Amino acid sequence: MKVLRQALLGLVAVASIGTASAGEVEVLHWWTSGGEARAVGILKDLLEEEGHTWKDFAVAGGAGSSAMTVLKSRAVSGNPPTAAQIKGPAIQQWAELGLLGNLDKVAEEGNWDTLLPEVVADVMRYDGHYVAVPVNVHRVNWLWANPEVLADAGVEMPTTWEELFSAAEKIRAAGYIPLGHGGQPWQDATIFETVVLSVGGSDFYRQALVELDPEALQSDTMIESLKLFKRLRGLMDEGMPGRDWNMATSMVISGDAAMQLMGDWVKGEFSAAGLTAGEGYLCAPAPGTADSFTFNTDSFAMFRVNDEGAHEAQRDLARLILEPEFQIAFNKIKGSIPVRTDLDMGEFDQCAQQAMQDFKASIDQGTLVPSMAHGMALSSAAQGAIFDIVTSYFNASDMTAEQAAERLANVANSAL
């Protein structure tokens, strides 16, 4: 981000970005799978009903990393999109460069301070001002399963890791892959952070993966977490390298795999396949994490524009995102839950209803933690360094848990 900062500071004066035509919003996002594309289409339709034009700029791959690469390139050239899907600490980094628009007026009119949980609102602000609008809340620490596969193998949905490993033996004996997975660094890190949460609890998770405490990263608890994480590698198939997350979900849908550890965006794929929660697929908090909630919040930031039509379209887009109509319709398709906690969840499936209940409880109990794997906890540099270590350890036969823990601690020491 340092190179980007140097390039962009010279462009802030040019950040008038007046290239958008009246009422047009070019929206950069990475929602390209079947369920995601359906969900973002709702926002597009609502904005166009307001009389504006939505110019779609979708960039697939890498849980958003590819989109961020494109965004940096566009920003360096002085031509960023009008709106972009940005989240976590990256929001603060873009705002610090002076390129994001101020949404305080929309926030005041929409009463965002009351509607949004403070932990989410904090992420959307820079220097006390709203610069982004949250779309949803995803729970990352979920376990998903195909009930027909479990029944055929004669096992129940596991609630502990040992139950999962025991079930996996029977599942494999019945001819199925126990755990569907995509061998990409962010997917490996998703499972890793879930294991850390289950072994160490929310306080340890914060120390290790949010605060980057070197002692926590090299502790016995981390070593235990790494060993458990590595055991899970044995439950996956050898075809996983490079596989996208939705392809792993398709393995569960088709019955090739029994389970998947992934955030609740997978529900968009289940829904697109015509499956119903509790019948066509099962959900449960990942083993050992029922009392905690790892959150990932999608959000949109608006880049500064001079064109009044584009500015008005940005304000309407921000307003529409938090209105009940969009919050309910979008999140039912996307698989997430509304970021507003005041909405009736009666239209949502049982997994979403449980997620909202657990979300509220985790706020009250102090067990709500930001996802490291999904860009909610660390800078992109620190996150990338952890990804490298985690995925190398996961796939290497000659790296011990102790060595991996030492490397994680080195990342923390270099970041301090």
Side-chain angles (χ1 to χ4, degrees):
M1 202 71 183
K2 290 182 179 178
V3 174
L4 178 65
R5 178 190 301 278
Q6 292 170 353
L8 289 180
L9 284 176
L11 288 168
V12 171
V14 190
S16 29
I17 315 165
T19 57
S21 62
E24 179 182 272
V25 177
E26 183 184 21
V27 184
L28 171 66
H29 64 89
W30 58 84
W31 289 326
T32 57
S33 74
E36 291 175 330
R38 286 176 59 216
V40 78
I42 292 174
L43 186 57
K44 175 180 181 290
D45 291 344
L46 287 173
L47 186 69
E48 291 183 341
E49 287 176 10
E50 297 275 332
H52 302 298
T53 300
W54 173 293
K55 184 178 179 181
D56 202 61
F57 187 9
V59 181
S65 61
S66 298
M68 290 301 96
T69 299
V70 173
L71 177 60
K72 290 173 185 177
S73 175
R74 286 278 302 267
V76 165
S77 68
N79 182 36
T82 326
Q85 186 181 355
I86 307 175
K87 61 184 181 180
I91 294 173
Q92 320 303 317
Q93 293 171 339
W94 283 102
E96 189 176 0
L97 293 169
L99 295 181
L100 299 187
N102 186 306
L103 297 175
D104 283 347
K105 183 178 179 181
V106 183
E108 183 179 355
E109 292 173 351
N111 204 20
W112 291 9
D113 284 346
T114 300
L115 291 180
L116 299 178
E118 184 61 25
V119 67
V120 174
D122 275 347
V123 180
M124 303 299 131
R125 301 189 193 107
Y126 172 73
D127 198 23
H129 301 286
Y130 280 100
V131 295
V133 54
V135 178
N136 57 2
V137 173
H138 279 295
R139 187 180 198 174
V140 179
N141 56 309
W142 278 115
L143 176 66
W144 308 92
N146 183 315
E148 293 183 359
V149 172
L150 295 188
D152 191 46
V155 300
E156 301 289 334
M157 189 72 159
T159 59
T160 68
W161 292 116
E162 289 311 314
E163 285 180 5
L164 188 146
F165 286 112
S166 177
E169 294 180 8
K170 297 178 181 178
I171 290 167
R172 179 161 280 148
Y176 305 101
I177 299 165
L179 204 56
H181 182 62
Q184 297 172 337
W186 72 268
Q187 295 190 63
D188 296 341
T190 296
I191 294 181
F192 169 70
E193 73 174 16
T194 297
V195 171
V196 170
L197 181 65
S198 71
V199 173
S202 57
D203 287 341
F204 177 79
Y205 178 100
R206 288 192 197 92
Q207 291 174 341
L209 300 183
V210 180
E211 300 167 6
L212 289 183
D213 180 350
E215 290 187 9
L217 288 167
Q218 206 169 356
S219 66
D220 290 342
T221 302
M222 179 56 71
I223 292 171
E224 180 184 351
S225 299
L226 285 161
K227 289 179 178 178
L228 175 56
F229 172 58
K230 189 65 167 278
R231 283 183 67 193
L232 291 170
R233 177 66 178 80
L235 307 185
M236 302 165 186
D237 68 300
E238 292 306 314
M240 71 176 197
R243 179 186 293 146
D244 288 333
W245 69 269
N246 52 314
M247 293 298 99
T249 304
S250 293
M251 293 169 62
V252 178
I253 292 172
S254 66
D256 293 330
M259 298 173 285
Q260 181 182 14
L261 285 160
M262 185 53 68
D264 52 19
W265 46 90
V266 305
K267 282 202 303 169
E269 302 305 299
F270 288 127
S271 297
L275 301 179
T276 302
E279 299 175 7
Y281 65 94
L282 304 177
C283 65
T289 69
D291 295 331
S292 300
F293 193 114
T294 313
F295 77 93
N296 172 27
T297 300
D298 291 308
S299 53
F300 281 102
M302 310 298 168
F303 281 79
R304 292 194 328 182
V305 295
N306 276 347
D307 184 277
E308 183 53 34
H311 193 198
E312 186 65 28
Q314 286 179 325
R315 289 193 293 262
D316 285 340
L317 179 62
R319 171 179 54 81
L320 287 167
I321 284 173
L322 280 179
E323 289 189 349
E325 179 182 2
F326 173 73
Q327 283 283 303
I328 292 173
F330 174 88
N331 287 294
K332 284 173 64 178
I333 294 176
K334 185 66 163 61
S336 45
I337 58 174
V339 69
R340 293 177 54 159
T341 58
D342 64 329
L343 300 180
D344 183 357
M345 295 293 291
E347 297 182 28
F348 286 79
D349 62 58
Q350 63 183 49
C351 298
Q353 291 178 11
Q354 180 181 350
M356 180 59 83
Q357 178 180 330
D358 292 349
F359 179 56
K360 293 178 179 178
S362 68
I363 293 173
D364 293 339
Q365 298 166 6
T367 57
L368 181 69
V369 295
S371 171
M372 176 279 297
H374 295 273
M376 299 301 299
L378 302 175
S379 69
S380 58
Q383 182 199 51
I386 290 178
F387 277 17
D388 288 344
I389 296 167
V390 165
T391 202
S392 294
Y393 167 73
F394 197 49
N395 294 288
S397 59
D398 58 350
M399 187 188 304
T400 67
E402 289 79 6
Q403 290 171 329
E406 182 179 1
R407 294 182 187 184
L408 289 173
N410 289 338
V411 170
N413 286 324
S414 64
L416 295 178

